[in-house]
Amino acid sequence: MANKKLVSDRVSQVRDIFLFSCYTGLAYADVKKLKRSEIVTGIDGQKWVYTSRQKTDTSSRIPLLPQAMELMAKYKEHPQCVNDGLLLPVLSNQKMNSYLKEIADACSINKELTYYIARFCNDCNTCKWCFYRKRI
């Protein structure tokens, strides 16, 4: 899915934001409100997300995979991000899910693809990150 050429920039944008959630485990509401100022350099010298989860108001510290940082860089100059200080240009949840159906069709994914499932893709990615950083 990450490397699939899609029909429009808008659909590609939805795919990228979905993948960002897969890489971080953040829910839709948390990605939508995520500000650039919430990306910080941790004590390990790497980039982290330091934010509060909207649903629970609990503090979260999430290491950023290289793929997530590439997606952040891609939208650094996007007008919505620049004007509002946001990290990513997130559409409404309804529009995101509508475009995700198109993406699933384009990628021959035979399961219902919704934004909600992005958070659960993170379990595998956390293990990959730890392995990548030689933490496992």
Side-chain angles (χ1 to χ4, degrees):
M1 177 195 301
N3 297 318
K4 179 77 172 174
K5 179 72 175 152
L6 298 169
V7 296
S8 72
D9 289 342
R10 180 70 69 168
V11 176
S12 294
Q13 175 183 327
V14 168
R15 183 244 348 252
D16 292 345
I17 295 166
F18 175 81
L19 288 173
F20 184 84
S21 281
C22 290
Y23 298 142
T24 61
L26 287 170
Y28 168 82
D30 298 319
V31 174
K32 184 162 179 62
K33 73 173 186 67
L34 194 60
K35 301 219 176 273
R36 294 174 181 206
S37 60
E38 295 175 300
I39 306 301
V40 300
T41 303
I43 59 172
D44 61 355
Q46 302 302 313
K47 295 292 184 186
W48 290 68
V49 175
Y50 278 31
T51 191
S52 291
R53 303 298 286 261
Q54 182 172 325
K55 185 176 180 179
T56 60
D57 197 33
T58 56
S59 173
S60 291
R61 306 293 182 255
I62 303 162
L64 286 169
L65 291 167
Q67 300 94 322
M69 293 192 310
E70 288 173 18
L71 294 173
M72 290 168 26
K74 183 175 181 179
Y75 295 99
K76 185 177 182 179
E77 301 301 324
H78 189 282
Q80 182 183 352
C81 298
V82 172
N83 294 337
D84 298 336
L86 297 172
L87 190 66
L88 296 168
V90 181
L91 304 176
S92 73
N93 197 22
Q94 182 178 0
K95 285 184 181 176
M96 295 287 285
N97 284 328
S98 177
Y99 284 123
L100 283 169
K101 287 179 186 178
E102 287 183 40
I103 293 166
D105 289 342
C107 296
S108 301
I109 297 171
N110 296 322
K111 292 182 126 186
E112 184 179 8
L113 191 60
T114 64
Y115 202 91
Y116 178 76
I117 67 167
R119 294 190 59 220
F120 303 104
C121 296
N122 178 257
D123 293 335
C124 295
N125 287 315
T126 301
C127 293
K128 289 178 193 171
W129 182 84
C130 291
F131 182 75
Y132 172 78
R133 307 293 268 204
K134 298 183 176 42
R135 294 183 184 218
I136 290 183

